[in-house]
């Protein structure tokens, strides 16, 4: 496994283009597929792309703010001290890889947005602290945890929501039958054990070790504060911490009310507000806070640039009928026993082109569930097989890695070799489990 991981890492480093180039190539691959496999004309395809382009503007802004506020929080003196203590725990690189994977796995299980940022921050601090650590590998460990499906997984949660978009056909499918079924808990625990074992034992040849390189200009965060007796009124405001605290009280009050009314309801908006609140409390002045924002904002460039491009690709896939073409090709070879595994594979394939789980489910879900019902396949297993397939190929799709890579200061090719091996491991675990369920 070590040899395979190191070989795939070298191959990916050499041949995988930048994530932006990959998005361009994927766009034109989908264009050609739509023209060749559907009745769409060139004019149709252009319109599909243009109509889809703006569909992720809101989501892209949310992800950029998750990344920005999380990074600004990480640049505060308080959090740097906390992370410094955390990175005192591991004594070896492998302990650091495994601990990073565990922390990221737990956070991703609670909320994938939270997990991506926390995992990246922990990976950065491990890179600074642990001697001999291969930084791309610890970042890969943080990203590998993104595969887990927890309470923030939109697909099973949607199907458990009253009056969901397929309610008339399938009714409510409670999460006790999908997300919290015994067999899905088994899958989750197997993947957790596998991620700890994989990163606890993987070895990187010393000659290939790449250390952490600081991407943040520490001097830019050292804001000159003039003597208070010589400050003008405007300078006093700029160097005030009281203003930050006053502003922080507003989102803090909202979050308290939100959780009091809705319980443990974590979503992208609450994650953004949580990071913002903590960052406002953690920085010592307005100037220091804004200096951290200036340093952190460059990490959002991948999200801002590439999310709309992938939205255009999704527009072509959904409106041209390509999703149905891919789905029906797999459905044709399935029976009631093999259908969940087939669903897992086809969801993983389509996820490469439509990396938004909720968006993919809205397009592809009805096709798969109607087919499952027609051939007598297990509906809850089909739902979770789809959810796992959606997360599975995220390991080789730079779309979801962009927030984490932005914080880490790496490109996709730095981690995708290791993620490719992890894709193989998790694919075997998930497919084998659903195959055994069919036998049982």
């Amino acid at each position: 496994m070590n040899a395979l991981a190191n070989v795939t890492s070298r191959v990916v480093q050499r041949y995988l283009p930048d994530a932006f180039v990959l998005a361009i190539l994927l766009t034109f691959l989908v264009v050609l597929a739509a023209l060749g496999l559907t009745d769409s004309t060139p004019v149709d395809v252009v319109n599909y792309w243009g109509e889809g382009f703006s569909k992720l503007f809101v989501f892209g802004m949310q992800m950029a703010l998750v990344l920005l506020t999380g990074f600004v929080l990480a640049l505060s003196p308080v959090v740097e001290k906390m992370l410094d203590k955390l990175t005192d725990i591991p004594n070896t690189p492998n302990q650091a890889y495994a601990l990073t994977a565990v922390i990221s796995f737990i956070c991703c299980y609670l909320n994938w947005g939270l997990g991506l940022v926390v995992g990246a921050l922990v990976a950065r601090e491990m890179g600074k602290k642990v001697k001999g650590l291969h930084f791309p590998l610890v970042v890969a460990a943080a990203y590998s945890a993104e595969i887990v499906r927890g309470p923030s997984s939109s697909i099973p949660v949607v199907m458990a929501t009253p009056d969901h978009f397929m309610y008339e056909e399938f009714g409510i499918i409670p999460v006790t039958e999908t997300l919290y079924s015994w067999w899905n808990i088994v899958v989750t625990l197997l993947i957790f054990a596998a991620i700890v074992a994989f990163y606890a034992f993987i070895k990187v040849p010393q000659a290939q070790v790449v250390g952490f390189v600081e991407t943040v200009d520490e001097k830019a965060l050292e804001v000159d504060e003039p003597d208070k007796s010589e400050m003008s009124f405007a300078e006093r405001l700029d160097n005030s911490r009281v203003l930050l605290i006053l502003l922080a009280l507003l989102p803090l009050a909202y979050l308290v009310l939100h959780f009091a009314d809705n319980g443990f309801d974590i979503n992208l908006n609450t994650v953004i507000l949580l990071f913002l609140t903590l960052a406002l409390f953690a920085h010592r002045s307005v100037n220091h806070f804004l200096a951290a924002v200036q340093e952190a904002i460059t990490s959002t460039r991948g999200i801002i640039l590439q999310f709309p491009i992938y939205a255009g690709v999704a527009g072509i896939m959904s409106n041209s009928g390509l999703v149905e073409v891919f789905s029906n090709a797999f459905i044709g070879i399935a029976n009631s026993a093999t259908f969940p595994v087939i669903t897992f594979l086809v969801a993983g394939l389509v996820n490469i082109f439509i990396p938004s789980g909720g968006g993919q489910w809205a397009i592809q879900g009805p096709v798969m569930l109607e087919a499952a019902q027609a051939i007598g396949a297990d509906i809850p297993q089909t739902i979770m097989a789809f959810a796992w397939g959606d997360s599975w190929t995220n390991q080789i799709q730079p779309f979801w890695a962009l927030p984490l890579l932005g914080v880490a200061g790496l490109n996709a090719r730095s981690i995708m070799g290791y993620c490719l091996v992890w894709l193989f491991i998790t694919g075997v675990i998930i497919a084998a489990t659903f195959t055994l369920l069919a036998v049982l």
Side-chain angles (χ1 to χ4, degrees):
M1 192 62 71
N2 279 326
L4 178 61
N6 290 317
V7 168
T8 55
S9 179
R10 290 197 299 273
V11 170
V12 167
Q13 282 278 359
R14 185 168 184 177
Y15 294 106
L16 184 70
D18 184 83
F20 181 59
V21 174
L22 192 62
I24 295 173
L25 295 176
L26 187 62
T27 298
F28 286 100
L29 176 63
V30 172
V31 167
L32 293 175
L35 293 175
L37 300 176
T38 73
D39 295 331
S40 304
T41 66
V43 173
D44 291 334
V45 172
V46 170
N47 284 329
Y48 297 154
W49 186 88
E51 291 166 3
F53 184 79
S54 61
K55 291 294 179 65
L56 291 184
F57 279 3
V58 172
F59 180 61
M61 185 63 173
Q62 288 175 318
M63 287 303 296
L65 284 173
V66 166
L67 174 55
L68 180 67
T69 53
F71 204 168
V72 170
L73 174 62
L75 295 177
S76 67
V78 175
V79 173
E80 285 185 344
K81 289 179 181 178
M82 290 174 55
L83 292 176
D84 186 58
K85 290 182 179 180
L86 180 65
T87 52
D88 282 337
I89 298 174
N91 296 315
T92 67
N94 281 104
Q95 290 176 4
Y97 305 144
L99 180 58
T100 300
V102 168
I103 294 171
S104 186
F105 191 95
I106 293 171
C107 292
C108 282
Y109 184 82
L110 294 175
N111 181 273
W112 54 266
L114 178 69
L116 286 176
V117 175
V118 170
L121 300 181
V122 171
R124 273 177 55 88
E125 294 305 312
M126 292 292 188
K128 293 179 184 179
K129 197 78 174 285
V130 181
K131 293 182 179 179
L133 179 140
H134 184 48
F135 187 57
L137 185 54
V138 77
V139 174
Y143 184 59
S144 294
E146 195 276 337
I147 193 172
V148 68
R149 299 294 87 181
S152 65
S153 179
S154 60
I155 294 169
V157 172
V158 163
M159 297 305 293
T161 303
D163 299 324
H164 61 80
F165 69 99
M166 287 188 278
Y167 177 78
E168 291 186 4
E169 295 83 4
F170 301 99
I172 292 177
I173 312 294
V175 291
T176 53
E177 295 181 14
T178 54
L179 194 61
Y180 301 118
S181 62
W182 69 267
W183 44 266
N184 194 64
I185 292 173
V186 168
V187 173
T188 304
L189 292 176
L190 287 173
I191 290 176
F192 178 74
I195 197 172
V196 174
F198 179 58
Y199 286 105
F201 294 103
I202 188 170
K203 300 292 183 184
V204 178
Q206 190 60 40
Q208 297 177 22
V209 170
V210 177
F212 172 77
V213 177
E214 181 59 81
T215 57
V216 174
D217 184 359
E218 298 289 348
K219 293 183 179 179
L221 300 177
E222 297 174 1
V223 180
D224 292 331
E225 296 183 10
D227 187 271
K228 289 187 178 181
S229 62
E230 299 177 359
M231 284 184 186
S232 66
F233 176 74
E235 288 174 331
R236 287 179 181 274
L237 292 178
D238 292 342
N239 289 281
S240 169
R241 189 177 187 184
V242 174
L243 288 177
L244 289 180
I245 294 174
L246 287 175
L247 179 58
L249 292 175
L250 191 60
L252 176 62
Y254 171 79
L255 288 171
V256 170
L257 294 172
H258 173 80
F259 290 124
D261 292 339
N262 301 287
F264 193 64
D265 177 30
I266 294 182
N267 54 53
L268 278 180
N269 294 329
T270 56
V271 168
I272 292 166
L273 285 174
L274 178 61
F275 283 152
L276 176 62
T277 304
L278 295 174
L280 289 169
F281 278 121
H283 282 275
R284 61 177 179 263
S285 70
V286 172
N287 273 342
H288 195 268
F289 176 82
L290 293 177
V293 170
Q294 184 173 332
E295 285 300 312
I297 201 165
T298 57
S299 63
T300 65
R301 63 187 182 275
I303 293 173
I304 294 170
L305 184 62
Q306 293 181 48
F307 272 42
I309 293 175
Y310 280 111
V313 170
I316 297 174
M317 288 286 295
S318 59
N319 293 319
S320 68
L322 269 179
V323 172
E324 287 80 3
V325 171
F326 288 165
S327 300
N328 290 332
F330 277 87
I331 290 170
I333 60 173
N335 56 44
S336 60
T338 62
F339 193 81
V341 175
I342 295 295
T343 299
F344 167 67
L345 295 174
V346 70
L349 173 64
V350 174
N351 177 64
I352 295 173
F353 304 96
I354 306 178
S356 171
Q360 184 183 347
W361 181 246
I363 299 165
Q364 194 180 358
V367 177
M368 303 307 292
L369 288 192
E370 287 170 11
Q373 191 175 58
I375 64 176
D378 189 283
I379 296 297
Q381 288 181 20
T382 300
I383 292 169
M384 284 313 303
F386 193 102
W388 284 111
D390 169 68
S391 68
W392 179 51
T393 48
N394 283 347
Q395 299 303 307
I396 55 170
Q397 165 55 275
F399 181 87
W400 291 115
L402 291 173
L404 180 137
L405 293 171
V407 174
L410 295 178
N411 54 38
R413 69 170 67 95
S414 299
I415 69 170
M416 285 298 160
Y418 304 111
C419 292
L420 183 60
V421 177
W422 179 238
L423 176 89
F424 170 76
I425 294 170
T426 52
V428 170
I429 291 172
I430 298 168
T433 302
F434 281 106
T435 300
L436 288 173
L437 285 173
V439 174
L440 298 174

